[in-house]
Amino acid sequence: MATISTSTSLSDSNRTLQKATLEDIPAIKAMVDAAYSKYIERIGKPPAPMTENWVETIRAHEVLVLRDNEQIVGSITFYEDKQTNSLKIDNVVVDPTAQSRGYGYYMIRHAEMEGRKQGLSSVTLFTNVKMFENLGYYPKLGFVETERKVEDGFERVYFYKKLGK
């Protein structure tokens, strides 16, 4: 199992980003439920990650868990989209008790590095139009909004970021 360790500016912090296992699913699901439940009222139903079949997702896509001092604090799901030659980030989640510490940024930057390593030209992602916090966050990371559409019953906003060499 590949582990990426980094030193950080967080005191006494030891971040590791590892491929998720089936044993990680309860922690991922609990974190997703805690982070996304606030959006149910805004959207009118549970956001897609809350109803995700995580066993299937772990088998089909790259799902990583971020641990800080051995505690799971985040997760990112991505895969290569061969049609667009991009790395598509399907979900990024940070435990609500660990937000505002740079974990989401860290995981997205890792996905960008992975995309470059795979020779892909861009990274794409989407968010729900009613998750307005994300609409301001992704452009700060260099993503550009490309389209809005209804997909799988959700109003989604799509973002794109060209990867440099």
Side-chain angles (χ1 to χ4, degrees):
M1 178 182 321
T3 300
I4 300 139
S5 296
T6 65
S7 59
T8 67
S9 60
L10 299 173
S11 61
D12 300 318
S13 180
N14 180 24
R15 292 184 191 176
T16 59
L17 194 53
Q18 301 177 298
K19 187 165 180 55
T21 66
L22 296 177
E23 291 76 28
D24 294 324
I25 291 173
I28 293 169
K29 179 110 177 85
M31 184 171 45
V32 163
D33 289 349
Y36 286 98
S37 62
K38 68 183 178 186
Y39 298 116
I40 294 172
E41 188 174 333
R42 278 192 219 170
I43 296 171
K45 60 183 174 180
M50 292 180 77
T51 60
E52 186 87 27
N53 178 335
W54 286 100
V55 171
E56 202 172 283
T57 299
I58 283 176
R59 290 182 175 146
H61 301 305
E62 187 73 16
V63 179
L64 304 176
V65 290
L66 177 63
R67 287 182 169 84
D68 194 348
N69 293 321
E70 303 301 319
Q71 179 182 354
I72 293 178
V73 295
S75 178
I76 186 167
T77 304
F78 56 83
Y79 60 92
E80 180 183 351
D81 184 343
K82 293 184 190 312
Q83 290 181 327
T84 62
N85 192 38
S86 71
L87 186 108
K88 183 173 184 179
I89 298 175
D90 199 46
N91 187 48
V92 179
V93 63
V94 175
D95 188 293
T97 64
Q99 290 178 356
S100 300
R101 297 183 194 167
Y103 295 131
Y105 173 83
Y106 177 80
M107 290 185 288
I108 290 170
R109 288 293 183 242
H110 172 78
E112 291 173 9
M113 289 187 319
E114 188 62 32
R116 280 187 201 93
K117 189 165 55 170
Q118 293 179 25
L120 302 174
S121 62
S122 63
V123 173
T124 59
L125 56 81
F126 63 87
T127 190
N128 190 289
V129 71
K130 294 185 179 162
M131 294 179 179
F132 52 81
E133 301 89 343
N134 296 339
L135 299 179
Y137 179 68
Y138 295 131
K140 289 178 183 175
L141 300 182
F143 286 86
V144 176
E145 182 179 329
T146 58
E147 69 178 315
R148 293 179 181 220
K149 64 182 178 181
V150 176
E151 184 177 58
D152 299 328
F154 295 98
E155 294 177 75
R156 292 184 170 156
V157 181
Y158 283 78
F159 290 89
Y160 164 93
K161 182 175 183 179
K162 184 169 178 55
L163 292 175
K165 297 294 176 183

